[in-house]
Amino acid sequence: MRSHYCGHVTETLIGQEVTLVGWVNRRRDLGGVIFLDLRDREGIVQVVYDPDLPEVFETASSLRGEFCVQVKGLVRGRPESQVNANMTTGAIEVLGRELTIINKAEPLPIDFNTDVSEEQRLKYRYLDLRRPEMAEKMKFRARFTSEVRRFLDDQGFMDVETPILTAATPEGARDYLVPSRTHKGQFFALPQSPQLFKQLLMMSGMDRYYQIVKCFRDEDLRADRQPEFTQIDIETSFMTAEEVMAVTEAMIRTIFKKMLNVDLPQFPHMSYEEAMRRYGSDKPDLRNPLELTDVADLLADVEFKVFSGPANDPEGRVAALRIPGGASLSRKQIDDYTKFVGIYGAKGLAWMKVNETGKGIEGVQSPVAKFLSDDIVNAIIERTGAVANDIVLFGADDAKVVADAMGALRLKAGEDFGLVAEGWAPLWVVDFPMFEKADGRYYALHHPFTAPRDMTPEELEANPDTALSNAYDMVLNGVEVGGGSVRIHRAEMQSAAFRVLGIDDQEAKEKFGFLLDALKYGTPPHAGLAFGLDRLVMLMVGAESIREVMAFPKTTTAACPLTSAPGSANPEQLVELGIQRIPAEKAE
């Protein structure tokens, strides 16, 4: 039906006949001449109709926005005064000789020239995706996946599919369950990741595996989360953590160079402990120069309990954040910052404006200055590097609250004061704790199959609080884009990790017997990494949300306005599955 895409009609085709199909982007009747902007996924081209062909001209006069049409005509150059240098097709136009209306369009239910809500855009996503900016994002995503496959294929990785209907595995979020008709009362789980299957593939001798795979997690959503998302899943045998990081870093560098013509800077390696101490986050945005400074030792003996309490608590922390030029903040702006950190559990936000350095209390303005000595004020100024016209903000609380609150404030202040540099700031975060403790028990910080660094099974069980995992996360501009680890490849180590997590040998056999069995038969050392494809594409195209780079995403309530999913099931089907529906009011 077509000879060329609209966006591919350029000066090289002048004098040639072309056949185009697409949608009417705009029609302009300029008194005897009709200009038609025809659009397809590759761009827009201008088509001109004049009255010399009355029937064709009459058809052109009847067109409205989003009519689907076929155009046949002659490519000619535009007059020099009408050349549009901002369009790929701006130097030419098509003199229309034939016009076929393939399908008419009723008046659109949404007007993209106005501020359309996301809910409406998702309800009429097929119209939203016609817009050039959305089409470009989808094309970019398609090219991105092609480049990923090309790179991994060239590196000897095999694309292997793993099951979607599987058993539940502990990945840290709720599973989506699928009832079994043939095994009434039993359920499959949709995979949160192909974790165990890719490890089994290494045990099967596949050596290098990858998969661009759908994953499912029933968790609360935000800008960079969806109930179903896409991973670039990678697993290798006989490769160290350093080797896995090297090959995956090379993949990201290659893709950025090919698609954005960007040479990414060095990927520094930073420990989890350092990232939390300096930035209050395990995914710090290094474009932001602000850092947290520990000052607990300077404040341990002050009478102000807000400071001295956390300063003397092994679980507490007192951190200072210096903002250059921050003394210009008004009291209302400081109050707004105080409300902001309250979102993260902070009970308040102490502050100190620096007017002059070296003068102790006389050189600063602060509601807490009366609790401090000249020596303490001077020491805080020296340690934070503050100078005149700066402000120092303090977080004092449980260490996690301080990290969460002050880490978030660091990001906000960096944006507010225009301190965030342009460009890309990648890094690797390494040496994560193996476990985190809550409610009197241990939980895997990543997942239960991550190997510890330099520990025997006996040492792991004896000292779980000090265990570091052989794990690594790739961070880009403050976003975790990928994470992985060396996996446990010995049965005795896996059993020890399960016992630390409160999974006894009997439960481990019931849930993971197939894995423990497989580990007995010559399992090779293996390691891997999974990238969030949606997140990477989101960052590369400059979108605010991964919903902008997914064809048919869900809303923040995990619903689909387009299809009205989730919906009710047919009662007969529920009977067949052995499921009884509980009314919503009773379920609550």
Side-chain angles (χ1 to χ4, degrees), residues 211-525:
Q211 186 180 187
I212 296 178
V213 61
K214 279 288 186 185
C215 301
F216 307 86
R217 295 184 183 179
D218 186 6
E219 58 187 350
D220 295 333
L221 306 185
R222 59 189 185 205
D224 58 351
R225 282 184 179 171
Q226 280 279 291
E228 53 180 317
F229 56 95
T230 305
Q231 275 188 186
I232 307 167
D233 210 45
I234 299 170
E235 197 78 5
T236 68
S237 296
F238 306 110
M239 287 181 71
T240 64
E242 291 70 26
E243 289 169 328
V244 172
M245 285 189 277
V247 73
T248 52
E249 180 180 321
M251 182 184 81
I252 296 301
R253 286 186 178 281
T254 299
I255 290 172
F256 267 74
K257 182 63 177 178
K258 284 190 174 183
M259 299 196 67
L260 299 181
N261 196 27
V262 166
D263 291 305
L264 288 174
Q266 288 297 313
F267 282 61
H269 287 217
M270 182 182 298
S271 72
Y272 171 88
E273 185 278 330
E274 181 183 354
M276 296 302 293
R277 175 172 51 82
R278 294 173 60 187
Y279 304 107
S281 171
D282 61 359
K283 48 181 184 296
D285 186 348
L286 298 187
R287 298 173 303 162
N288 182 342
L290 300 181
E291 293 191 22
L292 306 183
T293 303
D294 285 315
V295 292
D297 59 311
L298 303 177
L299 299 167
D301 298 325
V302 301
E303 294 183 7
F304 189 44
K305 297 298 183 185
V306 170
F307 282 166
S308 60
N312 289 287
D313 183 348
E315 303 295 326
R317 184 182 183 188
V318 185
L321 177 67
R322 169 217 169 198
I323 304 176
S328 61
L329 286 170
S330 68
R331 185 55 189 264
K332 181 184 181 306
Q333 289 171 313
I334 294 174
D335 289 343
D336 288 342
Y337 277 178
T338 303
K339 292 177 183 176
F340 176 78
V341 296
I343 298 171
Y344 299 90
K347 301 178 186 68
L349 183 68
W351 54 273
M352 184 172 72
K353 291 185 178 181
V354 180
N355 298 323
E356 290 185 70
T357 60
K359 289 196 171 184
I361 296 173
E362 289 186 6
V364 300
Q365 175 190 350
S366 171
V368 300
K370 59 187 176 183
F371 300 106
L372 310 178
S373 67
D374 287 339
D375 288 343
I376 290 176
V377 169
N378 289 335
I380 290 172
I381 289 174
E382 181 180 358
R383 185 172 294 183
T384 59
V387 298
N389 203 38
D390 290 352
I391 192 171
V392 179
L393 305 173
F394 298 90
D397 210 307
D398 171 82
K400 184 179 186 310
V401 171
V402 171
D404 291 346
M406 299 302 287
L409 183 60
R410 168 186 172 267
L411 296 177
K412 180 171 174 54
E415 293 286 350
D416 291 347
F417 282 82
L419 301 174
V420 182
E422 295 292 326
W424 302 95
L427 81 153
W428 287 104
V429 178
V430 298
D431 294 338
F432 288 85
M434 184 87 171
F435 306 104
E436 54 187 349
K437 200 170 186 180
D439 307 321
R441 58 163 294 186
Y442 291 99
Y443 297 87
L445 192 68
H446 282 85
H447 56 64
F449 318 108
T450 298
R453 271 194 181 276
D454 305 320
M455 293 184 91
T456 66
E458 294 75 20
E459 290 170 336
L460 181 67
E461 289 194 75
N463 303 290
D465 290 310
T466 62
L468 296 180
S469 66
N470 201 351
Y472 34 84
D473 283 359
M474 182 186 289
V475 177
L476 186 60
N477 290 4
V479 177
E480 179 197 330
V481 295
S485 67
V486 173
R487 322 304 187 186
I488 295 171
H489 70 282
R490 293 181 182 274
E492 56 269 28
M493 180 64 82
Q494 187 64 73
S495 295
F498 283 154
R499 285 192 291 270
V500 172
L501 295 168
I503 302 173
D504 61 30
D505 292 347
Q506 180 61 34
E507 184 182 359
K509 185 176 181 180
E510 291 173 0
K511 290 184 175 180
F512 307 106
F514 65 95
L515 175 68
L516 294 171
D517 284 344
L519 289 171
K520 299 174 184 176
Y521 302 113
T523 296

